[in-house]
Amino acid sequence: MTTATNTPNPPPQAALPAAPRYRTLRRFAGNRLATIGAAIIALLVLLAIAAPLLARYDPIFDQDYANILAGPGGAHWLGTDDLGRDIYTRMLYGSRISLQAALISVGLAFSLGVPIGIVSGYYRGTVDAVVMRVVDALQAFPSLILALALAAALGGGFYNAMVAVGIGFTSSFVRLARGQAMTIRNLDYVMAARSIGAGDLRIMWRYVLPNALAPLVIQATFAMGTAIIAEAGLSYLGLGARPEDPSWGSMLHIAQGYLNTAPMLAMWPGLAIFLVVLGFNLLGDGIREVFDPKLSR
């Protein structure tokens, strides 16, 4: 006669509450503002990829000295800057710099902050105390001020500036990942995995991280908009992209000297920054609604 053993069932691997994909997409598509945000970001990506095909001139070396500070026209659709460079072309290539700024800085913050936060929240104790004191020290400074100081210390330049912005964002990802790990580590399926001999690394990788991804992705979406503002601010101050590079922040820096004579010079990069940041914020709201059904009721 055989007796049934009381072995716990293997814990689930699903990271989010089970829901049909079509229902999730329909909920997102039903949010008109979220679809507008997604369309803006999709347009940004397309422009960044197709910039060499859509541009009419070289963004740095093609200079029309006969049409310096010219308004929009047939030869230059959005006009020219103080060196006769085509603003339309520079706007296209500026979308590449802004997209790189968002991906590099937020990617760095995510890849550093999430593992540290999960380990801190999972183990607690001394590890958590040390990590949180460092995070408290970083968050004592406004993120843009911290990025400005780090960029100056690293010597300026676009990639150094993005590393500085990423370090400034890391503390927010650490806190969010830590809070998620502290909650998930005590759930039934994690305890079941631990009871059948699953190691800590396996539990954190297969069960804690997937279940913590939803709020982390939302945070990353919002952070991308902030990263674009930070890049523009650092480039405006001369600590980001080189002055000759077609960064929207650098274009605003050039435009400040011609606000009375050529206000359109500042309007185009300012409008682009506004629309892209708005797009990321609307997209983040839409993703948050998809992952939290309570918001859609």
Side-chain angles (χ1 to χ4, degrees):
M1 179 177 175
T2 60
T3 57
T5 58
N6 233 354
T7 304
N9 293 326
Q13 298 184 23
L16 300 172
R21 292 185 179 181
Y22 75 91
R23 187 182 305 169
T24 299
L25 294 175
R26 187 172 59 185
R27 188 185 303 134
F28 182 86
N31 188 325
R32 186 174 301 176
L33 293 178
T35 55
I36 293 174
I40 293 174
I41 302 309
L43 179 61
L44 172 70
V45 174
L46 288 175
L47 291 177
I49 294 173
L53 300 176
L54 299 175
R56 308 178 68 191
Y57 304 94
D58 185 271
I60 298 176
F61 299 108
D62 285 345
Q63 301 175 6
D64 186 355
Y65 294 113
N67 290 292
I68 291 177
L69 296 177
H76 303 283
W77 292 346
L78 299 182
T80 60
D81 64 5
D82 60 329
L83 296 178
R85 296 172 297 192
D86 185 63
I87 295 177
Y88 166 74
T89 299
R90 290 176 65 80
M91 290 292 298
L92 286 176
Y93 280 89
S95 65
R96 286 187 157 192
I97 293 179
S98 294
L99 189 60
Q100 287 182 56
L103 294 176
I104 293 173
S105 59
V106 177
L108 176 64
F110 193 95
S111 59
L112 289 178
V114 172
I116 294 173
I118 288 178
V119 170
S120 176
Y122 184 85
Y123 285 112
R124 304 292 304 276
T126 304
V127 173
D128 184 50
V130 172
V131 169
M132 293 315 298
R133 296 298 75 76
V134 175
V135 168
D136 289 340
L138 289 175
Q139 291 193 323
F141 302 93
S143 58
L144 187 56
I145 300 299
L146 179 61
L148 180 63
L150 290 174
L154 292 173
F158 175 74
Y159 292 104
N160 287 339
M162 292 307 96
V163 169
V165 173
I167 293 174
F169 287 164
T170 299
S171 58
S172 61
F173 284 97
V174 171
R175 279 195 176 277
L176 183 57
R178 171 182 177 266
Q180 293 296 309
M182 289 172 61
T183 301
I184 296 169
R185 70 189 295 271
N186 295 320
L187 296 181
D188 291 341
Y189 59 85
V190 174
M191 298 177 69
R194 193 180 295 118
S195 69
I196 60 176
D200 290 340
L201 290 178
R202 180 181 177 84
I203 291 174
M204 285 187 282
W205 175 253
R206 295 194 61 182
Y207 306 114
V208 178
L209 176 61
N211 282 275
L213 273 182
L216 290 169
V217 169
I218 296 170
Q219 174 70 17
T221 305
F222 287 119
M224 285 186 178
T226 308
I228 290 176
I229 295 177
E231 184 277 326
L234 292 175
S235 296
Y236 178 86
L237 296 172
L239 293 173
R242 298 175 301 174
E244 66 272 18
D245 287 339
S247 164
W248 293 341
S250 298
M251 294 173 70
L252 285 175
H253 177 74
I254 294 172
Q256 71 173 347
Y258 303 96
L259 292 178
N260 293 327
T261 57
M264 300 290 286
L265 199 60
M267 188 190 78
W268 300 119
L271 182 61
I273 293 171
F274 167 76
L275 289 177
V276 170
V277 173
L278 177 64
F280 274 114
N281 287 339
L282 293 178
L283 180 61
D285 283 334
I287 295 175
R288 180 171 57 184
E289 182 174 314
V290 167
F291 284 132
D292 189 356
K294 295 178 182 178
L295 298 177
S296 62
R297 294 176 182 174

